Amino acid sequence: MLSKVLSSAVIGIDAYLVEVEVDIASGLPCFTTVGLPETAVKESRERVKSAIQNSGYRFPDDRITVNLAPAHIKKDGTGFDLPMAVGILAATRHIPLEALNDYLVLGELSLDGRIKPVAGSLPMALEARRAGYAGIIVPVDNGLEAAVVDGIAVLPAENLPQVVSFLRGESGLASVTPDLDELWQRSEGQEEDFADVMGQEHAKRAIEVAAAGGHNLLMIGPPGSGKTMLARRLPTIMPTLTFEEAIETTKIYSVVNMLGKDQALVVQRPFRSPHHTISDAGLIGGGHIPRPGEVSLAHNGVLFLDELPEFKKHVLEVLRQPLEDHHVTISRAASTLTYPAGFMLVAAMNPCPCGYYSDPNHTCSCSAAQIQRYRSKLSGPLIDRVDIHVEVPAVPYRDLVDRPGEEPSQDIRARVTAARVIQGRRFRRSRIYCNAQMNSRQIKAFCAIDAGCTRLLESAIEKLALSARAYHRILKIARTLADLEACDSIGQHHIAEAIQYRSMDRA
């Protein structure tokens, strides 16, 4: 007897349909799985057999062949347990075959028949809707996650007998619908706020400019000056995630199984802060079966690299592609996968190995050669992709005790959002969405400056020995400064402030 159950698997962050074909024929008892199954899929036969028997059904003592089509793609994960069990029960006439045509089925089985959660249920629900199926049967713990997809019934099930009863038409599975308004309201209460940061007005201004234009940022300062504190509060002033951005970010977290049990959607911009001992595969992604790395987990959010020179040089160099292209391509012998990586890079470093170079309150113990060697760990091409460099000095005592109430993140976010709206209108016919992504042609079109600005910029490049690559960066930052003030044209004060943010380019 032959049966076919529809299921799904994930490549990258996108799902594809898988037909689980089950054939039961006369012969010696045998359970064979074909279709390039990995180890976790091959082990399904033991879980499926025990789950069927412990749920009160008879497991056939015949030759069972399970084919996972398309057979040329490797299959990994435990999500095929439930489709295999349903296919075997349909082939033994416990379930009518026609009931399997309208539903996608996925889930891992425990030995007693309970259905456990699997990774990637959100992209699988999107694929089921695209393919036109009536519904998708998922584990209970994946119900809210899959239910954010409109236009398809999401049917959570707790155990195998529930699924069998539903497919027989004896009972129903209640579909689940999340309250999206409540999900977005959860993002309102931010624990961290810029109102907690005392002093550092220049650094806070630079972070506001970076958020408004999507610029990458490097903070340079001694230990304890507040670099990490400032970086952690950057997501609180960035524009709120749109629904499309939230879905795209949630797909990544769904694939790596990093969503909470009651978390249906990622509604806050991610903030990822990997340790400096991370490998290139951990940062960019990779492995035997490629998985997203930190740059993809930071998609639509912030990637914070603290103590930047302490990262291995070859690890930092692999950041070039995602910073330029906003995606990561991982090539293996069997396949090539592409993960999104549209993040803001925020980095922090000390001015020297001991951390106290140019600090008036401490004596630096580093020689000029040590400082040069320390800073040379950062290559020119990497620094070239960072628009804003800002000095973060130690906070004076009077700023810690005598400061009035600082500006909260909500007020700063309002200005940042207004600037992003201006950029959205400016780039509505382009594939970019912020000033940091402008190319040379767009800079010429949208960053025109008058004679006074030209003289100021020329003088700064000559007197401060700014590098040639700083020219376009200064114009981009100046355009963002003008957007924050809702100015159509770039003024001399915008150019002057933008020049301050290129300290690493000075001789």
Side-chain angles (χ1 to χ4, degrees):
M1 186 69 178
L2 178 66
S3 66
K4 183 176 72 173
V5 182
L6 301 169
S7 188
S8 183
V10 173
I11 292 183
I13 64 168
D14 296 315
Y16 64 98
L17 297 179
V18 176
E19 293 183 354
V20 181
E21 300 173 322
V22 178
D23 178 66
I24 300 179
S26 300
L28 293 175
C30 179
F31 193 129
T32 304
T33 304
V34 297
L36 292 184
E38 294 287 346
T39 302
V41 182
K42 292 178 181 178
E43 292 176 347
S44 294
R45 61 178 178 266
E46 306 300 335
R47 294 190 296 270
V48 169
K49 181 178 180 179
S50 296
I52 290 176
Q53 291 176 337
N54 292 328
S55 297
Y57 306 106
R58 188 186 72 84
F59 190 83
D61 295 326
D62 296 304
R63 181 180 181 86
I64 302 173
T65 303
V66 177
N67 178 45
L68 305 177
H72 67 282
I73 302 176
K74 285 188 176 181
K75 317 297 188 307
D76 185 53
T78 56
F80 297 113
D81 290 5
L82 183 58
M84 287 183 186
V86 169
I88 291 172
L89 293 175
T92 54
R93 302 185 183 277
H94 287 89
I95 297 173
L97 295 177
E98 59 273 10
L100 306 177
N101 297 329
D102 298 327
Y103 297 97
L104 218 64
V105 182
L106 58 105
E108 176 186 342
L109 287 174
S110 62
L111 299 184
D112 60 358
R114 288 179 294 111
I115 303 176
K116 295 182 177 181
V118 295
S121 61
L122 175 59
M124 293 177 191
L126 290 168
E127 179 63 16
R129 183 185 66 178
R130 186 202 63 78
Y133 293 109
I136 178 172
I137 299 174
V138 300
V140 169
D141 290 343
N142 294 126
L144 284 175
E145 173 191 342
V148 299
V149 180
D150 289 331
I152 187 171
V154 176
L155 308 172
E158 294 182 356
N159 51 56
L160 180 59
Q162 273 191 352
V163 176
V164 175
S165 179
F166 169 73
L167 294 175
R168 284 176 173 175
E170 297 173 354
S171 64
L173 290 175
S175 62
V176 60
T177 304
D179 188 346
L180 295 180
D181 293 334
E182 181 185 354
L183 292 176
W184 290 110
Q185 288 173 1
R186 291 182 188 176
S187 65
E188 299 292 332
Q190 303 273 7
E191 293 184 3
E192 297 173 332
D193 197 286
F194 264 94
D196 304 329
V197 182
M198 300 300 174
Q200 301 291 13
E201 298 303 324
H202 179 60
K204 287 193 283 189
R205 169 66 171 174
I207 287 178
E208 179 181 342
V209 174
H215 302 285
N216 299 320
L217 172 71
L218 173 62
M219 294 182 285
I220 309 165
S225 58
K227 302 185 293 295
T228 302
M229 186 179 187
L230 289 163
R232 289 191 178 278
R233 282 154 179 77
L234 176 55
T236 67
I237 66 172
M238 295 175 69
T240 305
L241 281 173
T242 64
F243 183 72
E244 290 74 18
E245 288 177 328
I247 286 289
E248 192 173 29
T249 305
T250 307
K251 285 170 64 177
I252 300 172
Y253 281 75
S254 174
V255 167
V256 296
N257 207 16
M258 291 180 60
L259 289 176
K261 182 178 180 180
D262 298 325
Q263 186 180 13
L265 200 65
V266 176
V267 294
Q268 295 181 350
R269 292 194 178 272
F271 180 88
R272 304 294 301 180
S273 180
H275 194 260
H276 64 262
T277 57
I278 191 171
S279 66
D280 51 356
L283 186 64
I284 298 298
H288 172 61
I289 299 174
R291 289 168 53 89
E294 291 291 335
V295 297
S296 296
L297 294 173
H299 183 60
N300 291 322
V302 175
L303 177 67
F304 177 52
L305 302 183
D306 200 4
E307 303 296 341
L308 186 64
E310 300 300 327
F311 285 79
K312 297 181 180 67
K313 190 164 186 177
H314 73 276
V315 172
L316 292 178
E317 292 307 306
V318 297
L319 281 174
R320 293 191 196 179
Q321 185 210 357
L323 285 174
E324 196 73 26
D325 302 333
H326 305 290
H327 65 260
V328 172
T329 301
I330 302 173
S331 297
R332 294 292 181 268
S335 62
T336 298
L337 300 180
T338 298
Y339 293 112
F343 60 90
M344 273 185 61
L345 174 65
V346 179
M349 61 178 287
N350 296 328
C352 66
C354 77
Y356 295 112
Y357 178 72
S358 74
D359 186 351
N361 300 320
H362 297 82
T363 301
C364 176
S365 60
C366 305
S367 66
Q370 288 175 318
I371 295 174
Q372 177 62 27
R373 188 162 53 249
Y374 178 75
R375 294 201 174 194
S376 66
K377 293 180 181 179
L378 308 179
S379 68
L382 179 62
I383 295 298
D384 185 36
R385 288 164 171 79
V386 179
D387 292 347
I388 297 177
H389 316 144
V390 60
E391 304 284 343
V392 185
V395 182
Y397 176 75
R398 62 180 179 274
D399 284 350
L400 296 176
V401 295
D402 297 334
R403 300 283 300 188
E406 299 288 344
E407 189 175 28
S409 294
Q410 184 177 0
D411 295 347
I412 304 175
R413 176 187 279 183
R415 296 195 296 270
V416 169
T417 302
R420 285 291 185 101
V421 169
I422 293 173
Q423 294 167 50
R425 291 197 296 264
R426 177 183 300 135
F427 303 126
R428 64 184 180 274
R429 296 180 181 177
S430 307
R431 294 183 179 180
I432 65 174
Y433 59 88
C434 62
N435 291 332
Q437 299 174 343
M438 286 191 292
N439 56 31
S440 299
R441 185 189 310 167
Q442 291 160 335
I443 290 174
K444 184 178 294 185
F446 300 120
C447 300
I449 54 177
D450 58 21
C453 293
T454 301
R455 288 193 298 271
L456 175 61
L457 186 54
E458 181 181 1
S459 175
I461 290 176
E462 292 178 355
K463 292 182 179 180
L464 299 178
L466 296 177
S467 63
R469 66 187 176 221
Y471 173 73
H472 286 137
R473 305 294 181 188
I474 290 173
L475 289 178
K476 289 181 181 180
I477 298 168
R479 180 67 268 173
T480 299
L481 292 168
D483 290 341
L484 282 169
E485 297 178 5
C487 296
D488 293 333
S489 59
I490 296 174
Q492 292 188 36
H493 63 291
H494 300 139
I495 295 290
E497 183 175 352
I499 292 170
Q500 299 180 51
Y501 298 135
R502 297 298 301 178
S503 61
M504 291 289 286
D505 284 324
R506 298 172 188 170

